[in-house]
Amino acid sequence: MIRVTLPRFGRFDAWRQAARDLASARVPMEGVTWADPDTPPDLFGADPAPPPGDHPVIATQQFLQLARQVASHSDPERWSLLYGTLMRAQGDRRFLSNPADPMMDRLSRMAKSVRRDIHKMHAFVRFHELPSDGPRRAFGAWFEPEHPILEAGTPFFAKRFADMDWLIATPEGTARFDGDTIAYDDPAPRPDLPDDASHDLWQTYFANIFNPARIKTNAMRSEMPKKYWKNLPETRLIPDMLADAPRRVQAMRDAGATDAPAFAPKITARLRQQPDDSIPDTLEQAASQAARCTRCELCHAATQTVWGQGDPAARLMLVGEAPGDQEDLAGLPFVGPAGQLLHRTMAEAGLAPDRAWMTNAVKHFRFTPRGKRRLHQTPDRDHVDQCRWWLNLERRMVAPRLTVALGATAAFALTGNRKPLTPRRGLVEPARDGGPVLITWHPSLILRLPPDRAPAALAELRADLAQAVQMVA
Amino acid sequence: MAQRTLQDKLAILSDAAKYDASCASSGTTRRDSRSGGIGSAGGTGICHAYTPDGRCISLLKILMTNFCIYDCAYCINRVSSNVERARFSPEEVVRLTLEFYRRNMIEGLFLSSGIIRSPDQTMGDMVRIARMLRIEHGFKGYIHLKTIPDASPDLVAQAGLFADRLSVNVELPQDASLRHLAPEKRPETIRATMADVRLGREAAKDRSHTGKRPPRFAPAGQSTQMIVGADQATDVDILNTSANLYSGYQLKRVYYSAFSPIPDASAMLPLIKPPLMREHRLYQADWLMRFYGFDATEIGSAHPSGNLDLAIDPKLAWALANRAQFPVDVARAPREMLLRVPGFGTKTVGRILTARRNGVLRYADLLRMGAIMSKAQPFVTLPDWTPGALTDSAGLRARFAPPPEQLSLFG
């Protein structure tokens, strides 16, 4: 029997080296005993290790990563299991990537337990401030992990607390950090840690962030197992917090509602905006009323009302269908892809956007959520009918000479006619509230057309816009 | 009023913050203190303690002040409440954060506030605290700022430069209930603030034409919270609202907070026992939407009332209502369908797909890989398992639903 004694620190690398040498000599798993510094010597002595053999030794990256974690497990059999797995992998590597293989399953469970213990160390180490004679503050902690994870768990603290000196003492050994490297020492008795006022504040926080009306002790214990409690300053408060909780809830119930302090209604009266149902006189008033519009249900899902924009005294008014995703987020009309196309086409037709009033027939975005996206939906007749209130106000105040209806929804909102658009495009129809309406395509239609049909439609839109410019000139 | 000690203030202002369910501190940029300053962040957040209400403490969650000029009926800090008031100075918040952090008690700061004087004034003070931590103290830990909905977009933009996460609470699943219970708040400005945060994050991802990367903006994204059980909204209403929020503002999380009695409660709301099981089911349903490809109506329509089944989890409820799609052949089913099997989580499904390439999977293999076979049994076929008539049996739901008296355990 060959005995390999691994050092207390730097264990994994030592195991890896020894395992590689033994595996290259094809020493079987049963031929090796793996020992820690604290393992008593074998009763029957040990054979010397053979010199490294010449068989190639292969291990996947994935296995080494797993093995590194398993190496921090407290199971004394772990080295032997790892070596056995390494030997088996020399004949068949495929099982290393099979989660259904019983050995891989066992090793993954061990690694998981180690990862969890390391995570709990990162969570439950509590530093106490120590006296320091240098410019750096000094802190110390005592922690009792389930596995020997000191080396695997402490680099985290070096990254997090680089500007202070710290030590973490455990039954397995002590880690000390002075701003440069972590030094590991053999186990020492538990250090005396001085009282620390921040721990009292921490207990105050712990006791007050707890809601006595919702007790879920199982959830607490599954994440903060009792084995860690004895070194946490806050956990000793738990029994009293639990015992007092029913009384606190009952006291709340008994106290009931109290009268508001006298100043409260004065403050809220100043803040609460009364709904304003008066007929607005200006576009600004109309816009601020529309911002709170609940005439149809679209307001609940959409972000905000997207009001018109442009020259309030424009001769030309452009009406689109409804805001899209981008317009809804920005609160501005015609800022999305279709709006950008419209702006370009307007420029080509000699129409400056700030010389027109640009708005939509429906002022709220209509969509269906699909995972992380919102799919645009055409507004219904009812949405158009409800929103016509705002469109009519805008029309009365802007009083354009000509209105351009972009697409079928706008054409319907303005003329009341729902007939197909193709024969009407390029023609002028009377608006319901008077005045001429020139009917043309919506730019979003052009974006959706196949490449062989889009240029013609775009040319038509451009020509219609140019015609509109001429009509109001 | 006598001068309060830091300890008194901490007691009052952490008590006032405990109704916010959010606690996560994960998913931000990776950074640590080796290049100066203090702290580290990135990867998964760490819960440093758990309170007996089962919730984790990852961040120092406090209010800057619990003075508030708003009168939200569900909130302990509303102007009409007679609760004790206190206010931290920015320096005190910074000191508490750093000292707790150095003792490894927290991952960072979750700062919220009552609204004093004006939304802009309050948001400005919160931004100042974040700036002091980041700039003066080189703090690399996590900062979550609660955005005040009516604050100016400029202040929200500054907050996004210092904070890892921004959040603004929608508070209630339906606009009408918010208008009723929080008359000073407006649902449309809350959503507009979320839209601003989304646009800010998108703008921070676009490199300029010189290839320069703009400063990071709320790298851990935004989240929100809604209170469950304070109004009449059904679970379908709640899940639809969440679906709209996820798709509209790219939220990382929606937190559901079972409405819990508060001291000095408003007469408008009942002092009910918080519906903790309902809250739990909503979290499960939310998970199904984000990671399992379910949509809100699908989950909600499993029960005609529009509410989730309290006795069994939503995935199981959906499977029982859609038995025609089962049993699923584990050896052949696509990922999307495996994800719909009760008892199979995303990790199990990942393992099944990997292991399938290595050979035939049997019942015992699935058990070992973490599948909850007691749940999955009626819904799968394997080389050594067929559910037979079990999938369609009338008593199937009863196999899973706990006997009624056990429900009291969850009260």
Side-chain angles (χ1 to χ4, degrees), chain A residues 126 159-160 204 258 272 303, chain B residues 7 33 48 107 249 264:
Chain A
R126 294 281 182 271
K159 287 184 193 169
R160 175 159 288 194
T204 302
T258 55
R272 267 177 219 184
T303 302
Chain B
Q7 189 135 5
S33 60
H48 286 270
E107 292 288 286
Y249 314 110
D264 199 18

Side-chain angles (χ1 to χ4, degrees), chain A residues 388-440:
Chain A
R388 197 180 278 111
W389 163 259
W390 301 116
L391 184 62
N392 286 346
L393 277 177
E394 270 178 303
R395 288 178 55 70
R396 225 177 48 226
M397 290 168 187
V398 177
R401 283 195 204 167
L402 175 70
T403 305
V404 177
L406 303 165
T409 304
F412 165 59
L414 288 160
T415 66
N417 182 345
R418 302 230 290 168
K419 286 188 182 139
L421 211 62
T422 310
R424 299 161 69 191
R425 202 280 310 155
L427 303 178
V428 175
E429 295 181 16
R432 289 157 57 118
D433 57 356
V437 177
L438 174 64
I439 294 174
T440 189

Side-chain angles (χ1 to χ4, degrees), chain B residues 259-308:
Chain B
F259 176 67
S260 130
I262 51 173
D264 199 18
S266 152
M268 282 168 95
L269 288 170
L271 279 168
I272 45 158
K273 218 172 188 190
L276 294 186
M277 186 41 94
R278 186 178 179 200
E279 178 189 284
H280 179 59
R281 294 286 179 237
L282 281 167
Y283 275 116
Q284 289 178 317
D286 186 89
W287 210 261
L288 292 182
M289 294 202 293
R290 286 185 297 142
F291 301 106
Y292 289 80
F294 283 83
D295 70 40
T297 7
E298 250 181 330
I299 306 168
S301 58
H303 200 272
S305 68
N307 282 319
L308 298 170

